[in-house]
């Protein structure tokens, strides 16, 4: 099945907003085994829209159109869809009632121009939007089935998931049950993980498991897409592959599916009624900022301490009598972590100290990271060197600090060589 | 002049990477008075590329193609460009020498597959890429002039600015001297600012000044694009409009052009040899994280303190004898700021305390912000309520804290009613 996407709207075409709707849709469709072959962006312009619909109708079997379903005069999707299909627009009484109800439940009166959102091509199949007034619809134009979706991201996401993808899968003849399994890792590059996972797809010989990646430094997402006849079939296929991925990536897997690194840490600390304090320098509060605002963190996150000067760090952590000058060491990181633990009575303290290179930002610009994790009974530390410019060092150090804490809490070695550090 | 953009590459088409190159190009082109009319994204696929080139050549006067100039086999732009133009590829000896030199200066030997990057259509005009090995080029296909640019963002940006935009302006017959003036504000919504600035374009009656906006909550960017015969002409036109924008937006303008809010604050503190400490709660370290890592901040940023519990905040700031329970107040924020100032001997302390609503995240979820700024002689504070969900409250409170500090340092009123707070 040849699938295309058309994105509409002046704000997207002029770059005022970045087109994350497109990347979201394309990724989700890939995840269920559907590939987008062509994408077109046009503005709120009748002639361009019509031509875009016609061209896509000549090439594709299915087309998703995003945007242009709003109540204002520059929202043209229904009108141009009707024109391209050679049919009339008609008022959909059912959707009009839905909208009136939508406003009534919010104690508001529907403005008259919203009526426009219930004007649909006569041949259109209504596609439900349970959370907005933009009515989705499907329609044949030429040989292609067109799916019209709203521009509001949360409405689009829900409609894509619940309405559009099932219809596309049915049309494509793909096995309808598909599951996406995701592993999040830190420390190994995409090509390294790709090499480590050579052959895992072949554990299911019928080709129904597909391996993919999405790198967003410093983390990497490894994705398994599995197709099956039903959920049992999928579980049977997925189980040996999942086990193999876990075995090969081992300690580098920091979270799975919708989990996040910070969520895993928060979960580990919550389950043991622990508390956390964090000391950081050049990361400037970013390590704390990943954790402290999370729901539930109010019970776990005790104190964050940020300073750029090592003397200030030591003074603030209550490390008396030492006034270290010069290079940071893991010993200093340990001492700082232990001092802050005594001061705050936290069960766990993470200290991430960084010595930055001198001079202007450049690709070889680096930083030396000395980090330590302290509990009442124990202290662990590691030293590492990250290069790649100021921002790269900052992002890398935030992730390294959090991932070492995750490893510590999961009784894994805090130190394991990673691809992002200099030997 | 009708202008189109074609983005190429499987990573963009599958949504693996969000297409920020497109939004960047389109915005920059808008800034100089050129509007993109149509955008196409296709993968690394010979047939799709050829068809996309042919279709754009039929519709447009000028086309920018992004991506596909790399050394690997899936980089097809030169080859398909030659095919679409009906000409041969030939080795460009000059570019080959440039690349060999590029590698030599980095003490590396050029891998043989890079030679491919010097294979250009015989009719191509070379477009310089001073910072990479991907050779830009221009070529006529049908009635349109095509500009081929690299996918690496920093190479693209430089080539667009220095090579492509001047050529497009020359072809478009637009006045060649164009300047973009930008104002950054916080606290007023886009439609509010639009209304406040009604008529400013008309201060220059020949229509050579254009007003535009780019909203990225919590900040808004107001843009003036000015065209003129030369820089004197532009200065003459811009001056009264700039003055009027400054007068109407007043204290809400927090920075201009490439300045940032945090950079302005750092500049103010640096110039008076000041030092800054920050106390924050639900913002979780994000206020500190905007400032502490900046070049130069090592001399200004003294200490950041993060805690979710008010008692912990007070204890850490050295506010003895008080153990406030219940609601936060501006008085508590002031006391905390003053205590931390005494403790750290900073010239300035910003304290941002937040009481969050109870329950699950939702659109009506809000927070009460009490913030204070303390110096040795003085203390100022404000109270505000922000609603719109946890993330909205967090982002809004970070910006409000920093902007109040900016106002304080610039001797402006710390409190002025903003559009983003509940009455």
């Amino acid at each position: 099945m040849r699938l295309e996407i058309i994105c509409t709207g002046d704000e997207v075409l002029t770059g005022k907003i970045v087109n994350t709707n497109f990347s979201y849709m394309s990724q989700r469709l890939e995840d269920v085994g559907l590939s987008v072959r062509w994408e077109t962006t046009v503005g709120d312009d009748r002639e361009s829209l019509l031509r875009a619909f016609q061209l896509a109708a000549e090439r594709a079997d299915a087309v998703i159109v995003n945007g242009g379903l709003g109540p204002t005069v520059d929202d043209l999707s229904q009108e141009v869809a009707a024109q391209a299909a050679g049919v009339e627009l008609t008022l959909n009484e059912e959707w009009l009632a839905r909208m009136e109800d939508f406003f009534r439940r919010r104690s508001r009166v529907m403005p008259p121009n919203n009526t426009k959102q219930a004007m649909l091509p006569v041949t259109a199949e209504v596609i439900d939007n349970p959370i907005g007034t933009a009515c989705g619809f499907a329609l044949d134009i030429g040989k292609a089935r067109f799916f019209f979706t709203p521009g509001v991201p949360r409405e689009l996401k829900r409609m894509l998931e619940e309405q559009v993808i099932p219809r596309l899968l049915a049309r494509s003849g793909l096995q309808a049950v598909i599951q996406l399994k995701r592993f999040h890792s830190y420390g190994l590059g995409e090509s390294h993980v790709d090499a480590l996972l050579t052959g895992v797809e072949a554990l299911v010989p019928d080709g129904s498991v597909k391996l993919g990646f999405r790198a967003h430094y410093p983390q990497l997402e490894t994705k398994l897409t599995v197709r099956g006849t039903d959920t049992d079939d999928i579980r049977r296929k997925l189980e040996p592959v999942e086990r193999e991925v876990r075995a090969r990536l081992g300690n580098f897997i920091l979270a799975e599916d919708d989990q996040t690194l910070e969520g895993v840490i928060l979960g580990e600390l919550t389950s043991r009624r622990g508390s956390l304090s964090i000391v950081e320098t050049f990361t400037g509060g970013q390590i704390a900022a990943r954790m402290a605002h999370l729901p539930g963190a109010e019970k776990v996150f005790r104190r964050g301490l940020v300073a750029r000067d090592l003397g200030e760090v030591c003074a603030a952590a209550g490390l008396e009598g030492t006034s270290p000058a010069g290079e940071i060491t893991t010993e200093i990181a340990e001492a700082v972590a232990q001092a802050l633990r005594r001061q705050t009575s936290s069960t766990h303290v993470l200290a991430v100290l960084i010595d930055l290179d001198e001079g202007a930002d450049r690709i070889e610009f680096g930083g030396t990271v000395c980090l330590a994790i302290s509990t009442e009974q124990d202290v662990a530390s590691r030293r590492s060197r990250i290069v790649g410019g100021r921002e790269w060092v900052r992002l890398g150090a935030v992730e390294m600090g959090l991932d070492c804490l995750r490893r510590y809490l999961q009784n894994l070695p805090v130190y394991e060589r990673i691809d992002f550090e200099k030997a």
Side-chain angles (χ1 to χ4, degrees), chain A residues 141-192:
Chain A
I141 301 177
K143 70 177 183 67
R145 188 73 174 166
F146 277 61
F147 299 88
F148 289 83
T149 61
V152 177
R154 62 189 204 104
E155 297 178 23
L156 164 66
K157 286 175 185 180
R158 181 129 174 211
M159 193 181 289
L160 183 72
E161 211 59 41
E162 295 178 358
Q163 306 284 340
V164 179
I165 284 175
R167 285 173 172 81
L168 288 174
L169 287 174
R171 291 182 80 84
S172 72
L174 290 173
Q175 279 175 303
V177 187
I178 284 198
Q179 195 176 313
L180 174 68
K181 175 70 197 173
R182 297 180 298 146
F183 301 90
H184 309 283
S185 62
Y186 160 73
L188 304 178
E190 178 172 335
S191 56
H192 189 168

Side-chain angles (χ1 to χ4, degrees), chain A residues 263-274 406 409-410:
Chain A
V264 167
I265 293 170
L266 185 61
E268 292 282 354
L269 286 165
T270 304
S271 70
R272 62 188 79 174
R273 297 174 180 276
R406 189 266 309 173
L409 290 166
Q410 295 179 337

Side-chain angles (χ1 to χ4, degrees), chain A residues 202-240:
Chain A
L203 291 173
V204 180
D206 70 356
S208 55
V209 175
K210 212 184 117 197
L211 178 68
F213 302 101
R214 183 169 196 173
H216 33 93
Y217 180 81
Q219 288 192 16
L220 176 73
E221 190 177 312
T222 298
K223 307 192 294 184
L224 295 173
T225 313
V226 193
R227 272 185 227 157
T229 48
D230 54 35
T231 50
D232 278 348
D233 183 40
I234 284 191
R235 201 174 310 123
R236 209 164 34 241
K237 286 170 168 168
L238 197 53
E239 199 270 329

Side-chain angles (χ1 to χ4, degrees), chain A residues 298-375:
Chain A
E298 67 280 2
K299 292 199 177 66
V300 169
F301 183 87
R302 185 150 297 172
R303 197 185 293 182
L305 177 60
V306 188
R308 289 293 304 269
D309 177 71
L310 188 54
E312 180 77 20
V313 170
C314 292
L319 194 62
E320 306 295 346
T322 28
S323 153
E327 277 190 20
I328 56 166
T329 61
T330 51
E331 288 73 27
I332 296 175
E334 291 184 359
V336 166
Q338 286 170 317
L340 188 67
R341 207 192 46 69
R342 286 190 299 269
Q343 195 185 57
T344 59
S345 306
S346 312
T347 62
H348 292 75
V349 170
L350 169 67
V352 180
L353 308 182
I354 301 173
D355 255 350
L356 276 191
D357 290 356
E358 301 279 330
D361 199 12
R362 58 198 181 276
I363 197 80
E364 315 84 27
F365 188 95
T368 302
V369 181
C370 287
L371 67 84
I373 296 154
S374 160
T375 61

